[in-house]
Amino acid sequence: MVDDNPLKHSKNRTLGDLSVSGRSGIQFPSLDVPEQEGLPKELLREEYVKLPELSELDVVRYFTNLSQKNFSVDTNFYPLGSCSMKYNPKINDAVASLPGFARLHPLQENAFIQGSLELMYELQSSLMELTGFSGSSLATLAGAHGELAGVLMIKAYHESNGDSQRNVILIPDSAHGTNPASAAMAGFSVATIPSDSNGNMDVDAVRSLAKDNLAGAMITLPSTLGLFDTSIVEICQIIHEAGGLIYCDGANMNAILGRVRLSDLGFDVVHLNLHKTLSTPHGGGGPGSGPVCVGEKLLTFLPSPVVTKSNGKEGTHFNLSDPVNSIGKVAAFHGNFGVLVRAYAFVRALGLTGLRHVSGDAVLNANYILSSLKDVYKVAFDRKCMHELVLSLSPQKSKGVKALDVSKRLIDYGIHPPTMYFPLVVEEALMIEPTESETKETLDSFIEIMRKIAIECEENPDVILSAPNFAPIGRLDEAMAARRPNLRQVY
Amino acid sequence: MTENFVHSYIPHTDSERREMLNSIGVNHLEDLFLEIPERYRDPDIKLAPSLTEMELLQELEFLSAKNVQVGKMPSFLGGGAYSHFIPSAVSALTSRGEFLTSYTPYQPEVSQGTLQATYEFQSMVCELTGMDVANAGMYDGATAFAEAALMACRLTKRYRVYVLESVNSNYLAVLKTYLVPQSVEIVIVPDNVNQVDEDVACLLVQYPDALGTIPNLSSLGKLIHAVGGLFVVSVYPVALGILKPPSEYEADIVTGECQSLGVPLSFGGPYVGMFACKSEHLRQIPGRIVGKTNESHGGKEGFVLTLQTREQHIRREKATSNICTSEALIATAVAIHLALLGPKGIKQVAQLCYNKAHYAAKCIGEIPGFFINPHAPDKYWFNEFVVTGPKSADHIQKNLYDQGIVGGIKISNLVKDGLLFCVTEVNSKQEIDSLVRALDSMKEL
């Protein structure tokens, strides 16, 4: 990662800079049928598409060099809170690439897709077991997509009961920004639940917001503060008594895999992030997958399709089905199948015992870091955490060092920064999620580095303020990027 | 907990766990879960027993072998997902752990790889479509189309959209899911629509359309612009290797499914949607955008996520969309694929598709009782076409399967007893001729 070679050019060359007219990175066989009458000239483009012209090695070397400018789970400790940056097993990529999966067309005849449908059916069943729900659809393509499907189901449910005046969704102040954005896309207005002094939701506030116009709530459990909200059962009861339904943002499911079922606590619907909890690689911002699981009330509203199983004369058969009151299709096809294969492989590799060790060690690791740092950093809430912990750098800020600066200093030590400035309710927040994948040595080394940085904050703040000092590039001018947008090159 | 649990994904030994628990100051791991109400703790959950890597591979090889994929039989399926050749370099590069196992590039200093690759993707989408700006990608072509309709409503403050009836039925279904909850009315209009009401936010068309034909973008664009609405065009990007870009027809927003550019079929996903528009609409774009900038204190150029005040993590319920994690790795694959194709490569693929498909259609059209594009015999088309024959669509499709050929998507909702065929560069003359022979065996005598 260290890029201190003075002989290396400092100009950041893009494909346009490398392009040489006449080069090519691919050959096709020549036309093996008689040439046909072409389209009329007025329909045809007059010039070539201006793409760069490169040899195959040009392309391979360019993108390989680019990749080396990334931190990743495969190369670095990546304790990014709320993202579960765990190890992504290589077998999962291998099985997703099997020709029977990778080369299967989505509109293929039903008899030809039975293997894929069986896998999807089994994954739906596993997710239902883990959440305690009675139905599941794998159609949603990311976490926020699952959120949208979740709140659309809540809306459709109320409308089917003639309750279309229910147009308010309650969302805690600690929530991820996608929650209110998804509620708005479903046509709801949002009311905020404040956090109390222990980091739980304020029960009295929920009670006062639970009126006739209540559609439901979107709640993350464990919360984005890394806490198991001990009022959750009571809050679910209050919302149900007022006629609302409760959606769970399952982003933090890694803490509770195999340890509690969301349906038992009172939730009506959840989305799971397979690219977090079930180890599918995040790809620098997707592909993800955000399946939804629902209880009986929402079963018929699931997004289309769901995979069903029938036992006929000719044996077991799997089908793509449309639930009767479905909120409809959420994407062109059946879900991010390649991601589903990887998640299924992860569940099968671990089984229940393994998945309970996932949540066990994820929570153990976070608490180990918490107990090892709380004498030098301010902890947002002084109680046991779940799979992640939130520090507040407000004491350091008073000395001129912000959460941002500490994050950038971690880069110098080869560690990807934690999530910064989130949740919004904690001043100068750093949210640290170690996951179950890391060894004790890695955790100990992280703890030692964080303690060293705490001393640097006191004794040598300049080295923090100038960080990163050893990354491929220094801090970038984001204000200029927004003020004078340069969003493309011309090849 | 089982003692001495060992798994390759989970490194701790029991003695390390004990040491860590001591340091935390609790006796048992279970003590960390005491805030979960006791009556709900540790429920009965039934999952299949765990498998070793060796067993897992065997099981999934067995499962995948129950499918009949493209390549096992000649296949002529399109309909929004296309079989195109993908050079080996694409997956070799995207499977690099540094691209594969990184997060969304919130920390630009250690994410320049993803950011710069995305900048290339944006640039190439602009070149293909002729538009000014593009985002870092949407979930797929259908959701990109729906987000474009929502953006048009925000820009015009109108809440009715027109959709041509020739739009892919799956795309139309997604439009409904996205638009109806926001009280946007969807009006489906015939392809020869010649009047648009003044309260219409946009006209949504596909290019080529769901039946492969090339709509008259020139007159459609003028029609919607006459009432101050926006022109939204969803493209099959391979066709743009030869067809005029939508910018030349005054398109305001261009979306499309990029699967055909280096992405495996993978039973429908993961794919990536493109989203491009005129620069004056930049601040209403949904999703991530990467921009080029400089170091704050230094001379180097670099890349960052920019214009983030549009996005959910800042704007919350007032964001332009709820989209967060999208399809970055797939966008990277598309950028790599297009870099390999270059200007001549993409034209060549488009020409191969066009010529092979028209050759197939010509041969099929010569079979007594078979008709090509009976709904629109005079319209121009790219590489998908509708076939009707002397028998029902079901019968023809099944008969083809029996003869070892996969082909024809049933589109009876649009053309009675119609089957939609697609031919690309991967279909050899031999395959096409076998399709023609198979259909010939069903001819009218």
Side-chain angles (χ1 to χ4, degrees):
Chain A
M1 289 301 303
V2 179
D3 186 13
D4 53 2
N5 180 350
L7 299 178
K8 245 179 151 178
H9 53 80
S10 68
K11 167 111 174 77
N12 202 340
R13 300 215 291 171
T14 55
L15 287 177
D17 301 321
L18 301 171
S19 174
V20 171
S21 179
R23 281 205 185 126
S24 173
I26 194 167
Q27 289 85 45
F28 288 99
S30 49
L31 188 63
D32 59 354
V33 302
E35 192 169 344
Q36 304 293 304
E37 190 184 332
L39 291 166
K41 198 160 170 268
E42 67 266 23
L43 295 180
L44 296 174
R45 65 161 70 232
E46 283 152 24
E47 294 172 351
Y48 285 110
V49 184
K50 279 195 211 121
L51 295 171
E53 296 177 78
L54 306 149
S55 73
E56 186 173 332
L57 176 58
D58 285 338
V59 175
V60 168
R61 194 170 285 164
Y62 176 75
F63 282 97
T64 301
N65 283 329
L66 277 192
S67 76
Q68 290 175 333
K69 295 181 176 184
N70 275 359
F71 274 15
S72 66
V73 174
D74 279 5
T75 54
N76 303 77
F77 181 40
Y78 213 117
L80 189 66
S82 214
C83 302
S84 301
M85 294 299 280
K86 60 174 70 182
Y87 173 59
N88 308 142
K90 298 301 171 192
I91 178 70
N92 299 354
D93 301 322
V95 291
S97 305
L98 288 168
F101 293 141
R103 302 191 66 192
L104 191 64
H105 193 284
L107 301 177
Q108 188 78 272
E109 187 68 8
N110 181 275
F112 290 4
I113 57 175
Q114 287 296 303
S116 289
L117 295 187
E118 183 175 343
L119 182 147
M120 290 169 74
Y121 182 84
E122 293 300 331
L123 180 60
Q124 283 176 189
S125 306
S126 299
L127 301 182
M128 281 148 61
E129 276 292 321
L130 287 166
T131 56
F133 283 120
S134 39
S136 172
S137 166
L138 309 172
T140 36
L141 305 182
H145 207 211
E147 290 177 23
L148 178 61
V151 284
L152 286 176
M153 283 190 270
I154 291 176
K155 189 181 176 89
Y157 171 84
H158 288 313
E159 280 171 2
S160 75
N161 289 337
D163 273 348
S164 44
Q165 86 288 356
R166 293 188 176 275
N167 61 358
V168 175
I169 291 275
L170 308 185
I171 299 179
D173 55 9
S174 59
H176 197 271
T178 49
N179 289 181
S182 299
M185 279 187 82
F188 286 120
S189 54
V190 174
T192 302
I193 308 173
S195 301
D196 70 14
S197 55
N198 289 318
N200 289 335
M201 284 173 283
D202 185 328
V203 178
D204 290 333
V206 174
R207 209 171 269 125
S208 69
L209 290 165
K211 299 181 202 143
D212 291 348
N213 63 359
L214 182 68
M218 298 178 82
I219 295 171
T220 309
L221 190 83
S223 72
T224 63
L225 296 162
L227 304 173
F228 190 93
D229 193 315
T230 49
S231 317
I232 189 64
V233 174
E234 190 183 356
I235 284 173
C236 288
Q237 277 164 359
I238 295 168
I239 290 166
H240 277 157
E241 279 162 19
L245 297 183
I246 306 121
Y247 165 88
C248 180
D249 181 326
N252 293 340
M253 186 76 186
N254 212 43
I256 55 173
L257 273 177
R259 294 180 180 273
V260 63
R261 288 184 301 218
L262 296 164
S263 65
D264 290 341
L265 298 171
F267 288 100
D268 298 289
V269 45
V270 62
H271 92 260
L272 302 177
N273 294 78
L274 303 188
H275 49 288
K276 296 179 180 176
T277 314
L278 298 184
S279 87
T280 73
H282 197 273
S289 173
V292 282
C293 299
V294 297
E296 292 293 335
K297 281 182 209 161
L298 295 178
L299 204 49
T300 62
F301 296 94
L302 278 168
S304 179
V306 297
V307 179
T308 54
K309 181 173 165 177
S310 55
N311 292 304
K313 281 194 299 256
E314 291 161 20
T316 305
H317 201 76
F318 298 92
N319 300 291
L320 291 165
S321 307
D322 300 329
V324 285
N325 298 313
S326 174
I327 57 163
K329 284 187 79 71
V330 288
F333 298 111
H334 328 304
N336 271 347
F337 180 74
V339 180
L340 304 178
V341 175
R342 289 171 170 88
Y344 178 71
F346 187 72
V347 171
R348 292 304 316 271
L350 285 158
L352 180 64
T353 308
L355 291 176
R356 281 174 52 84
H357 274 89
V358 165
S359 53
D361 282 358
V363 171
L364 174 68
N365 290 350
N367 277 286
Y368 180 65
I369 293 173
L370 175 66
S371 69
S372 309
L373 290 181
K374 68 179 181 184
D375 60 323
V376 288
Y377 287 98
K378 182 180 166 189
V379 177
F381 296 96
D382 191 12
R383 52 190 263 205
K384 294 273 180 296
C385 65
M386 295 303 284
H387 66 308
E388 62 193 6
L389 59 140
V390 180
L391 303 179
S392 169
L393 279 277
S394 57
Q396 282 78 8
K397 192 189 179 188
S398 63
K399 290 171 188 138
V401 178
K402 301 192 294 292
L404 174 82
D405 303 313
V406 170
S407 294
K408 301 302 182 194
R409 183 59 176 154
L410 277 168
I411 292 172
D412 283 340
Y413 290 99
I415 292 169
H416 191 281
T419 295
M420 322 177 291
Y421 300 98
F422 183 80
L424 307 175
V425 290
V426 176
E427 195 192 347
E428 292 294 320
L430 280 186
M431 185 203 258
I432 299 163
E433 179 181 3
T435 82
E436 75 280 6
S437 306
E438 301 296 338
T439 61
K440 184 168 175 296
E441 293 92 315
T442 301
L443 304 178
D444 285 337
S445 155
F446 174 69
I447 290 162
E448 192 192 323
I449 290 163
M450 283 296 285
R451 296 185 71 90
K452 210 162 101 210
I453 292 175
I455 296 168
E456 288 176 346
C457 288
E458 302 282 337
E459 296 178 355
N460 188 10
D462 285 348
V463 73
I464 298 182
L465 296 173
S466 64
N469 303 293
F470 308 110
I473 198 157
R475 293 192 203 185
L476 289 156
D477 189 345
E478 300 195 14
M480 189 184 91
R483 205 169 51 242
R484 293 187 4 223
N486 173 343
L487 310 178
R488 62 176 290 198
Q489 64 194 299
V490 176
Y491 295 109
Chain B
M1 289 214 121
T2 335
E3 281 302 302
N4 297 319
F5 174 87
V6 178
H7 195 286
S8 51
Y9 304 167
I10 304 175
H12 291 334
T13 64
D14 279 350
S15 71
E16 285 172 326
R17 286 193 186 99
R18 273 192 299 278
E19 211 181 313
M20 293 164 74
L21 289 167
N22 283 339
S23 153
I24 296 167
V26 297
N27 294 323
H28 304 284
L29 187 65
E30 278 62 31
D31 295 345
L32 299 174
F33 290 92
L34 294 178
E35 290 185 340
I36 298 175
E38 193 178 353
R39 64 184 182 284
Y40 301 129
R41 223 180 288 152
D42 303 329
D44 181 29
I45 289 172
K46 290 186 181 61
L47 292 178
S50 65
L51 300 176
T52 63
E53 179 168 347
M54 212 166 80
E55 294 163 318
L56 186 59
L57 181 60
Q58 284 165 351
E59 162 136 347
L60 284 162
E61 278 176 343
F62 177 74
L63 212 47
S64 72
K66 291 185 182 180
N67 291 331
V68 180
Q69 74 273 18
V70 172
K72 271 197 173 174
M73 292 158 75
S75 172
F76 298 93
L77 293 178
Y82 301 94
S83 189
H84 286 284
F85 178 71
I86 305 173
S88 304
V90 178
S91 67
L93 290 167
T94 55
S95 62
R96 285 189 67 90
E98 300 94 324
F99 281 135
L100 187 65
T101 71
S102 54
Y103 203 75
T104 302
Y106 293 128
Q107 297 285 344
E109 299 86 350
V110 288
S111 310
Q112 285 298 301
T114 295
L115 287 162
Q116 191 166 329
T118 306
Y119 182 81
E120 300 285 3
F121 171 78
Q122 291 174 180
S123 305
M124 290 174 181
V125 168
C126 290
E127 295 292 356
L128 265 177
T129 58
M131 303 306 284
D132 302 327
V133 288
N135 77 3
M138 308 298 286
Y139 300 135
D140 72 352
T143 58
F145 203 42
E147 290 269 19
L150 290 174
M151 176 167 144
C153 292
R154 288 195 300 275
L155 283 165
T156 58
K157 300 195 168 55
R158 300 177 185 176
Y159 298 92
R160 272 178 98 197
V161 301
Y162 275 16
V163 187
L164 284 200
E165 63 182 353
S166 57
V167 159
N168 181 307
S169 58
N170 290 333
Y171 281 41
L172 186 58
V174 175
L175 267 181
K176 284 182 183 156
T177 306
Y178 269 69
L179 268 55
V180 173
Q182 298 201 40
S183 306
V184 178
E185 187 193 348
I186 300 171
V187 183
I188 297 166
V189 296
D191 288 3
N192 59 1
V193 58
N194 54 19
Q195 204 182 338
V196 180
D197 291 341
E198 298 217 324
D199 63 346
V200 174
C202 64
L203 176 63
L204 296 138
V205 307
Q206 243 178 327
Y207 175 54
D209 66 24
L211 301 180
T213 48
I214 298 167
N216 188 342
L217 292 189
S218 176
S219 65
L220 291 166
K222 288 189 182 101
L223 192 66
I224 185 68
H225 285 146
V227 298
L230 301 185
F231 192 30
V232 179
V233 181
S234 170
V235 299
Y236 171 20
V238 167
L240 297 182
I242 54 172
L243 294 182
K244 261 189 188 160
S247 58
E248 295 198 25
Y249 302 106
E250 301 297 319
D252 297 285
I253 307 173
V254 177
T255 63
E257 172 56 69
C258 294
Q259 176 274 331
S260 55
L261 301 172
V263 184
L265 287 166
S266 189
F267 197 46
Y271 297 167
V272 60
M274 65 160 74
F275 195 106
C277 67
K278 292 182 178 166
S279 55
E280 64 250 43
H281 305 318
L282 175 61
R283 282 167 206 269
Q284 281 298 331
I285 291 188
R288 312 261 188 237
I289 301 175
V290 170
K292 194 177 193 179
T293 184
N294 291 323
E295 284 177 320
S296 307
H297 308 285
K300 284 190 192 172
E301 290 174 337
F303 299 87
V304 292
L305 291 175
T306 193
L307 302 171
Q308 295 190 72
T309 51
R310 301 165 297 109
E311 290 190 69
Q312 46 74 28
H313 59 285
I314 311 242
R315 196 57 68 83
R316 297 175 84 83
E317 65 267 30
K318 295 189 179 64
T320 54
S321 169
N322 70 336
I323 193 166
C324 183
T325 289
S326 184
E327 308 288 345
L329 188 76
I330 314 298
T332 299
V334 170
I336 296 165
H337 187 77
L338 284 171
L340 291 164
L341 282 181
K344 301 212 173 65
I346 189 150
K347 183 172 182 179
Q348 204 183 347
V349 179
Q351 283 174 332
L352 286 167
C353 291
Y354 176 88
N355 279 292
K356 285 173 177 249
H358 281 73
Y359 167 74
K362 186 165 160 273
C363 297
I364 295 167
E366 287 166 1
I367 306 171
F370 281 85
F371 298 94
I372 305 298
N373 291 338
H375 60 293
D378 302 326
K379 280 198 181 163
Y380 295 106
W381 54 278
F382 177 58
N383 74 332
E384 285 181 282
F385 54 96
V386 177
V387 173
T388 60
K391 302 273 169 50
S392 72
D394 274 320
H395 177 94
I396 295 172
Q397 198 187 44
K398 186 167 179 311
N399 192 306
L400 284 177
Y401 284 136
D402 292 343
Q403 299 193 55
I405 292 170
V406 181
I409 295 166
K410 282 180 260 178
I411 39 114
S412 296
N413 56 323
L414 295 170
V415 179
K416 188 173 179 300
D417 267 322
L419 282 170
L420 181 70
F421 283 82
C422 173
V423 183
T424 74
E425 80 280 6
V426 302
N427 297 112
S428 64
K429 177 168 187 292
Q430 201 183 351
E431 284 186 2
I432 297 168
D433 290 344
S434 69
L435 169 68
V436 175
R437 273 197 304 277
L439 290 170
D440 188 71
S441 73
M442 290 176 252
K443 73 182 165 203
E444 246 170 3
L445 295 171

